[in-house]
Short mmCIF file of all heavy atoms in Angstrom, two decimals:
data_model
loop_
_atom_site.label_atom_id
_atom_site.label_comp_id
_atom_site.label_asym_id
_atom_site.label_seq_id
_atom_site.Cartn_x
_atom_site.Cartn_y
_atom_site.Cartn_z
N ARG A 1 -0.36 -4.78 -13.30
CA ARG A 1 -1.19 -4.81 -12.13
C ARG A 1 -0.38 -5.66 -11.11
O ARG A 1 -0.04 -6.84 -11.28
CB ARG A 1 -2.46 -5.63 -12.47
CG ARG A 1 -3.54 -5.60 -11.40
CD ARG A 1 -4.65 -6.49 -11.70
NE ARG A 1 -5.84 -6.27 -10.81
CZ ARG A 1 -6.59 -7.35 -10.43
NH1 ARG A 1 -6.32 -8.57 -10.88
NH2 ARG A 1 -7.63 -7.03 -9.63
N LEU A 2 -0.22 -5.02 -9.99
CA LEU A 2 0.38 -5.65 -8.90
C LEU A 2 -0.64 -6.14 -7.80
O LEU A 2 -1.76 -5.58 -7.70
CB LEU A 2 1.29 -4.62 -8.12
CG LEU A 2 2.39 -3.93 -8.87
CD1 LEU A 2 3.19 -2.91 -7.97
CD2 LEU A 2 3.26 -4.85 -9.64
N SER A 3 -0.27 -7.29 -7.21
CA SER A 3 -1.14 -7.88 -6.12
C SER A 3 -0.31 -8.09 -4.91
O SER A 3 0.88 -8.34 -5.02
CB SER A 3 -1.76 -9.12 -6.63
OG SER A 3 -2.53 -9.04 -7.84
N CYS A 4 -0.97 -8.04 -3.72
CA CYS A 4 -0.35 -8.35 -2.49
C CYS A 4 -1.36 -9.01 -1.63
O CYS A 4 -2.41 -8.38 -1.40
CB CYS A 4 0.14 -7.09 -1.92
SG CYS A 4 0.68 -7.22 -0.11
N THR A 5 -1.05 -10.24 -1.15
CA THR A 5 -1.92 -10.96 -0.33
C THR A 5 -1.35 -11.15 1.17
O THR A 5 -0.10 -11.57 1.27
CB THR A 5 -2.26 -12.39 -0.89
OG1 THR A 5 -2.90 -12.21 -2.04
CG2 THR A 5 -3.13 -13.08 0.02
N ALA A 6 -2.14 -10.76 2.09
CA ALA A 6 -1.72 -10.89 3.47
C ALA A 6 -2.16 -12.29 4.06
O ALA A 6 -3.33 -12.62 4.04
CB ALA A 6 -2.19 -9.84 4.37
N SER A 7 -1.20 -13.10 4.54
CA SER A 7 -1.49 -14.33 5.11
C SER A 7 -1.18 -14.20 6.64
O SER A 7 -0.37 -13.40 7.08
CB SER A 7 -0.82 -15.50 4.43
OG SER A 7 0.62 -15.24 4.60
N GLY A 8 -1.65 -15.12 7.40
CA GLY A 8 -1.43 -15.13 8.88
C GLY A 8 -2.37 -14.37 9.60
O GLY A 8 -2.13 -14.09 10.86
N SER A 9 -3.44 -13.84 9.07
CA SER A 9 -4.40 -12.95 9.67
C SER A 9 -5.83 -13.35 9.56
O SER A 9 -6.21 -13.71 8.40
CB SER A 9 -4.24 -11.44 9.14
OG SER A 9 -5.38 -10.74 9.70
N SER A 10 -6.46 -13.42 10.66
CA SER A 10 -7.88 -13.94 10.55
C SER A 10 -8.77 -12.68 10.45
O SER A 10 -10.13 -12.85 10.44
CB SER A 10 -8.28 -14.78 11.77
OG SER A 10 -8.10 -14.10 12.97
N PHE A 11 -8.41 -11.51 10.34
CA PHE A 11 -9.09 -10.33 10.35
C PHE A 11 -8.87 -9.52 9.09
O PHE A 11 -7.73 -9.71 8.48
CB PHE A 11 -8.85 -9.41 11.62
CG PHE A 11 -7.38 -9.25 11.94
CD1 PHE A 11 -6.61 -8.31 11.20
CD2 PHE A 11 -6.74 -10.11 12.79
CE1 PHE A 11 -5.24 -8.15 11.42
CE2 PHE A 11 -5.44 -9.93 13.11
CZ PHE A 11 -4.58 -8.94 12.46
N SER A 12 -9.71 -8.49 8.83
CA SER A 12 -9.48 -7.56 7.67
C SER A 12 -8.51 -6.55 8.14
O SER A 12 -8.76 -5.90 9.11
CB SER A 12 -10.63 -7.01 7.17
OG SER A 12 -11.57 -8.04 6.56
N ILE A 13 -7.39 -6.42 7.53
CA ILE A 13 -6.44 -5.38 7.72
C ILE A 13 -6.88 -4.08 7.61
O ILE A 13 -7.37 -3.74 6.54
CB ILE A 13 -5.09 -5.72 7.13
CG1 ILE A 13 -4.46 -7.11 7.55
CG2 ILE A 13 -4.08 -4.70 7.37
CD1 ILE A 13 -3.34 -7.68 6.71
N ASN A 14 -6.71 -3.14 8.57
CA ASN A 14 -7.25 -1.78 8.47
C ASN A 14 -6.73 -0.97 7.19
O ASN A 14 -7.59 -0.49 6.48
CB ASN A 14 -6.89 -0.95 9.69
CG ASN A 14 -7.71 -1.32 10.95
OD1 ASN A 14 -8.83 -1.94 10.78
ND2 ASN A 14 -7.33 -0.89 12.05
N LEU A 15 -5.53 -1.01 7.03
CA LEU A 15 -4.96 -0.18 5.97
C LEU A 15 -3.85 -0.91 5.21
O LEU A 15 -3.06 -1.52 5.91
CB LEU A 15 -4.29 1.15 6.61
CG LEU A 15 -3.92 2.23 5.60
CD1 LEU A 15 -5.22 2.84 5.07
CD2 LEU A 15 -3.21 3.28 6.51
N MET A 16 -4.10 -0.98 3.90
CA MET A 16 -3.13 -1.55 3.11
C MET A 16 -2.60 -0.69 1.95
O MET A 16 -3.45 0.23 1.63
CB MET A 16 -3.62 -2.81 2.49
CG MET A 16 -4.11 -3.89 3.48
SD MET A 16 -4.50 -5.53 2.77
CE MET A 16 -2.92 -6.23 2.20
N GLY A 17 -1.50 -0.84 1.47
CA GLY A 17 -1.09 0.12 0.44
C GLY A 17 0.17 -0.25 -0.19
O GLY A 17 0.79 -1.45 -0.01
N TRP A 18 0.66 0.63 -1.00
CA TRP A 18 1.92 0.44 -1.86
C TRP A 18 2.83 1.64 -1.69
O TRP A 18 2.38 2.73 -1.70
CB TRP A 18 1.55 0.25 -3.24
CG TRP A 18 0.85 -1.00 -3.60
CD1 TRP A 18 -0.57 -1.05 -3.64
CD2 TRP A 18 1.27 -2.28 -3.93
NE1 TRP A 18 -0.88 -2.32 -3.94
CE2 TRP A 18 0.21 -3.10 -4.14
CE3 TRP A 18 2.59 -2.78 -3.99
CZ2 TRP A 18 0.36 -4.51 -4.41
CZ3 TRP A 18 2.71 -4.04 -4.28
CH2 TRP A 18 1.65 -4.87 -4.50
N TYR A 19 4.13 1.29 -1.52
CA TYR A 19 5.26 2.26 -1.49
C TYR A 19 6.15 1.87 -2.66
O TYR A 19 6.13 0.80 -3.01
CB TYR A 19 5.85 2.31 -0.23
CG TYR A 19 5.17 2.97 0.93
CD1 TYR A 19 4.06 2.24 1.54
CD2 TYR A 19 5.36 4.17 1.52
CE1 TYR A 19 3.33 2.75 2.52
CE2 TYR A 19 4.65 4.70 2.56
CZ TYR A 19 3.60 4.06 3.03
OH TYR A 19 3.01 4.64 4.05
N ARG A 20 6.94 2.77 -3.06
CA ARG A 20 8.04 2.34 -3.99
C ARG A 20 9.30 3.10 -3.74
O ARG A 20 9.40 4.14 -3.12
CB ARG A 20 7.50 2.75 -5.46
CG ARG A 20 7.51 4.19 -5.72
CD ARG A 20 6.88 4.50 -7.12
NE ARG A 20 6.84 5.92 -7.44
CZ ARG A 20 6.29 6.32 -8.64
NH1 ARG A 20 5.67 5.60 -9.41
NH2 ARG A 20 6.18 7.71 -8.81
N GLN A 21 10.44 2.39 -4.25
CA GLN A 21 11.70 3.03 -4.04
C GLN A 21 12.47 2.93 -5.29
O GLN A 21 12.67 1.81 -5.91
CB GLN A 21 12.44 2.29 -2.89
CG GLN A 21 13.80 2.99 -2.45
CD GLN A 21 14.34 2.52 -1.20
OE1 GLN A 21 13.89 1.43 -0.69
NE2 GLN A 21 15.19 3.20 -0.67
N ALA A 22 12.76 4.11 -5.83
CA ALA A 22 13.60 4.09 -7.12
C ALA A 22 15.08 4.09 -6.71
O ALA A 22 15.48 4.46 -5.65
CB ALA A 22 13.29 5.45 -7.79
N PRO A 23 15.98 3.75 -7.67
CA PRO A 23 17.38 3.68 -7.30
C PRO A 23 17.88 4.99 -6.90
O PRO A 23 17.68 6.00 -7.44
CB PRO A 23 18.02 3.28 -8.62
CG PRO A 23 16.89 2.52 -9.39
CD PRO A 23 15.61 3.19 -9.04
N GLY A 24 18.61 4.97 -5.82
CA GLY A 24 19.17 6.23 -5.18
C GLY A 24 18.13 7.11 -4.47
O GLY A 24 18.62 8.20 -4.17
N LYS A 25 16.94 6.67 -4.34
CA LYS A 25 15.97 7.55 -3.76
C LYS A 25 15.37 6.93 -2.48
O LYS A 25 15.43 5.72 -2.32
CB LYS A 25 14.82 7.94 -4.76
CG LYS A 25 15.35 8.73 -5.88
CD LYS A 25 14.28 9.26 -6.79
CE LYS A 25 14.85 10.14 -8.07
NZ LYS A 25 13.63 10.57 -8.87
N GLN A 26 14.67 7.80 -1.73
CA GLN A 26 13.99 7.26 -0.63
C GLN A 26 12.68 6.49 -1.01
O GLN A 26 12.05 6.84 -1.98
CB GLN A 26 13.63 8.37 0.46
CG GLN A 26 14.89 8.92 1.06
CD GLN A 26 14.53 9.88 2.15
OE1 GLN A 26 13.55 10.58 2.07
NE2 GLN A 26 15.42 10.10 3.14
N ARG A 27 12.20 5.64 -0.12
CA ARG A 27 10.95 5.02 -0.30
C ARG A 27 9.86 6.05 -0.19
O ARG A 27 9.84 6.88 0.78
CB ARG A 27 10.80 3.90 0.57
CG ARG A 27 9.56 2.91 0.45
CD ARG A 27 9.56 1.82 1.32
NE ARG A 27 10.78 0.99 1.26
CZ ARG A 27 10.91 -0.20 1.98
NH1 ARG A 27 9.97 -0.68 2.61
NH2 ARG A 27 12.02 -0.88 1.83
N GLU A 28 8.83 5.97 -1.12
CA GLU A 28 7.78 7.05 -1.10
C GLU A 28 6.35 6.33 -1.20
O GLU A 28 6.39 5.20 -1.76
CB GLU A 28 7.94 7.98 -2.25
CG GLU A 28 7.91 7.34 -3.58
CD GLU A 28 8.03 8.38 -4.75
OE1 GLU A 28 8.21 9.59 -4.56
OE2 GLU A 28 7.85 8.00 -5.97
N LEU A 29 5.46 6.91 -0.72
CA LEU A 29 4.12 6.48 -0.77
C LEU A 29 3.56 6.51 -2.25
O LEU A 29 3.74 7.46 -2.94
CB LEU A 29 3.21 7.29 0.01
CG LEU A 29 1.59 7.13 -0.06
CD1 LEU A 29 1.33 5.78 0.52
CD2 LEU A 29 0.87 8.30 0.57
N VAL A 30 2.85 5.46 -2.60
CA VAL A 30 2.24 5.44 -3.84
C VAL A 30 0.67 5.65 -3.64
O VAL A 30 0.08 6.53 -4.15
CB VAL A 30 2.45 4.16 -4.67
CG1 VAL A 30 1.75 4.10 -5.91
CG2 VAL A 30 3.97 4.01 -4.97
N ALA A 31 0.09 4.72 -2.96
CA ALA A 31 -1.34 4.69 -2.69
C ALA A 31 -1.70 3.86 -1.44
O ALA A 31 -0.99 2.91 -1.12
CB ALA A 31 -2.06 4.19 -3.89
N LEU A 32 -2.74 4.33 -0.78
CA LEU A 32 -3.26 3.59 0.37
C LEU A 32 -4.79 3.38 0.26
O LEU A 32 -5.47 4.11 -0.45
CB LEU A 32 -3.08 4.34 1.71
CG LEU A 32 -1.55 4.69 2.07
CD1 LEU A 32 -1.60 5.66 3.26
CD2 LEU A 32 -0.81 3.28 2.50
N ILE A 33 -5.24 2.31 0.96
CA ILE A 33 -6.62 1.99 0.90
C ILE A 33 -7.10 1.47 2.26
O ILE A 33 -6.38 0.46 2.82
CB ILE A 33 -7.14 1.09 -0.33
CG1 ILE A 33 -8.57 0.99 -0.35
CG2 ILE A 33 -6.43 -0.26 -0.22
CD1 ILE A 33 -9.02 0.41 -1.63
N SER A 34 -8.17 1.96 2.91
CA SER A 34 -8.64 1.52 4.02
C SER A 34 -9.51 0.29 3.92
O SER A 34 -9.99 -0.05 2.76
CB SER A 34 -9.31 2.58 4.86
OG SER A 34 -10.60 2.88 4.16
N VAL A 35 -9.87 -0.43 4.92
CA VAL A 35 -10.85 -1.55 4.95
C VAL A 35 -12.12 -1.10 4.50
O VAL A 35 -12.92 -1.85 3.78
CB VAL A 35 -10.84 -2.16 6.23
CG1 VAL A 35 -11.55 -1.31 7.31
CG2 VAL A 35 -11.60 -3.55 6.10
N GLY A 36 -12.51 0.18 4.72
CA GLY A 36 -13.79 0.69 4.11
C GLY A 36 -13.72 1.15 2.74
O GLY A 36 -14.71 1.66 2.28
N GLY A 37 -12.48 1.19 2.04
CA GLY A 37 -12.45 1.58 0.70
C GLY A 37 -11.90 3.05 0.40
O GLY A 37 -11.91 3.46 -0.65
N ASN A 38 -11.63 3.78 1.50
CA ASN A 38 -11.17 5.15 1.31
C ASN A 38 -9.75 5.04 0.79
O ASN A 38 -8.96 4.29 1.34
CB ASN A 38 -11.08 5.84 2.71
CG ASN A 38 -12.61 6.14 3.23
OD1 ASN A 38 -13.47 6.48 2.30
ND2 ASN A 38 -12.76 5.92 4.44
N THR A 39 -9.43 5.88 -0.14
CA THR A 39 -8.03 5.85 -0.85
C THR A 39 -7.32 7.19 -0.70
O THR A 39 -7.87 8.24 -0.53
CB THR A 39 -8.28 5.51 -2.28
OG1 THR A 39 -9.16 6.50 -2.89
CG2 THR A 39 -8.90 4.15 -2.53
N ASN A 40 -6.08 7.04 -0.85
CA ASN A 40 -5.13 8.16 -0.81
C ASN A 40 -4.05 7.86 -1.80
O ASN A 40 -3.41 6.80 -1.76
CB ASN A 40 -4.61 8.29 0.56
CG ASN A 40 -3.68 9.64 0.66
OD1 ASN A 40 -3.95 10.64 0.05
ND2 ASN A 40 -2.67 9.62 1.53
N TYR A 41 -3.65 8.87 -2.68
CA TYR A 41 -2.70 8.70 -3.78
C TYR A 41 -1.67 9.75 -3.62
O TYR A 41 -2.03 10.89 -3.20
CB TYR A 41 -3.33 8.70 -5.08
CG TYR A 41 -4.34 7.68 -5.47
CD1 TYR A 41 -5.66 7.76 -5.27
CD2 TYR A 41 -3.83 6.44 -6.03
CE1 TYR A 41 -6.51 6.69 -5.68
CE2 TYR A 41 -4.65 5.40 -6.38
CZ TYR A 41 -6.08 5.56 -6.12
OH TYR A 41 -7.00 4.46 -6.38
N ALA A 42 -0.47 9.37 -4.07
CA ALA A 42 0.58 10.40 -4.28
C ALA A 42 0.21 11.36 -5.36
O ALA A 42 -0.38 10.90 -6.41
CB ALA A 42 1.90 9.71 -4.53
#
């Protein structure tokens, strides 16, 4: 389970998500989630 906390912001960030980069490959989308809870997955 990965966690990511945003500091320095007094507002809820619109869109947060995860990307990954394997050795020798380009960075790719893993998943996104909006402030309203809408999700998008690879």
Side-chain angles (χ1 to χ4, degrees):
R1 188 187 193 219
L2 305 183
S3 300
C4 170
T5 298
S7 61
S9 169
S10 60
F11 47 79
S12 293
I13 295 173
N14 279 349
L15 193 64
M16 299 186 76
W18 295 92
Y19 290 72
R20 67 185 180 187
Q21 189 165 16
K25 295 186 178 181
Q26 290 187 332
R27 193 174 297 188
E28 62 178 3
L29 171 70
V30 175
L32 298 172
I33 185 167
S34 71
V35 66
N38 294 318
T39 59
N40 183 33
Y41 293 93

